[in-house]
Amino acid sequence: MAATSGRIDWVDYAKGFCIVAVVMMHSTLGVEKAAGATGWMGHVVEFCRPFRMPDFFMISGLFLANVIDRDWRTYLDRKVVHFAYFYVLWVTIQFALKAPVFAAELGWQGAAWAYLEAFVQPFGTLWFIYMLPIFFVVAKAARAARIPWQIVLGLGIALEIVHAAGLSSGLSPFPTGAVLIDEFAARFVYFYTGYVAAPHIFRLAAWAMANVPKALAGLLVWALVNGAVVAMGYSLFPVVSLALGAAGACAVILVSALLSLLHRADFLRFFGQNSIVIYLAFFLPMGVSRTLLLKFAPFLDIGTISLVVTVAGVLRPVVFFLMVRDTRLDFLFKRPAWARLDAPKPALQPAE
């Protein structure tokens, strides 16, 4: 299995694929909303919708078995405090940049309340790193309580199906409007699957690298089925959404395993290694580039503008990260020693 600097290449490719898909979704929907029109990138976003976040959460749970039995203090430091630091920092940065807009709409007191509410109701694009610590704690608590993984996974499956029923027909209490509750119901099953099915996932990647023609054939069948179900409008239906999420996550694993053989998309692996960096900071270049392109590039179609905004949203955070690395601004992407439960040997812990 290909590896670079102690990392598993296909995992980084998968994370890179996921973060690009996330930025693409926000960029495309933002452009289309601002322009009041749709473009060809919207079809790509819809194709990826069933598996974009399921795969991200599945990959996030992939190495949980390596750390879940650590003492609670160490575990909480690495899996809760770590993400909490970046959430608090970047939600504060986002609110500071958007303060005039919030003040104009809500008044300064209303803006202050909105900021405080972000610690209960995850704010904007940052909800992913808000949910991850919760998933980590629930998984460890279940293990500490010796609840069989089959029961935990079964509950996760049931929650996802009930959530999908609410989205598609309103026949369930979901969505509640509370991001924490709704996203837990919709996503925990994928995170926990990454944890309990990790050996099988690694075997799937190894099989793809050893059976390239069969893997490509499987990907073709999957793409046709996924595209057809999305086009027919059935992707949010109960059970269907779960099946598409799981199948799409497996497809991303196959693609990533094949890319790791070719080494023709190392930029994607680099994005995966810095996926949290991109996730934290893409909102600003995305917003700026969207505004500038819609104003000064009317000759470009909506789909092309969405693509350019996506590229800007992915590349500029990485460039900024490389610029501030080992400077006084390092704290934006690396956790300082004071933000740890235990005094660490290194002064900083990378965001990735």
Side-chain angles (χ1 to χ4, degrees), residues 76-90:
L76 291 175
D77 177 70
R78 302 294 176 83
K79 299 303 180 183
V80 177
V81 178
H82 179 68
F83 290 105
Y85 167 79
F86 291 109
Y87 181 80
V88 173
L89 174 62
W90 281 91

Side-chain angles (χ1 to χ4, degrees), residues 297-316:
F299 53 88
L300 294 177
D301 65 88
I302 298 301
T304 301
I305 290 176
S306 299
L307 177 59
V308 175
V309 172
T310 299
V311 173
V314 172
L315 291 182
R316 291 179 183 177

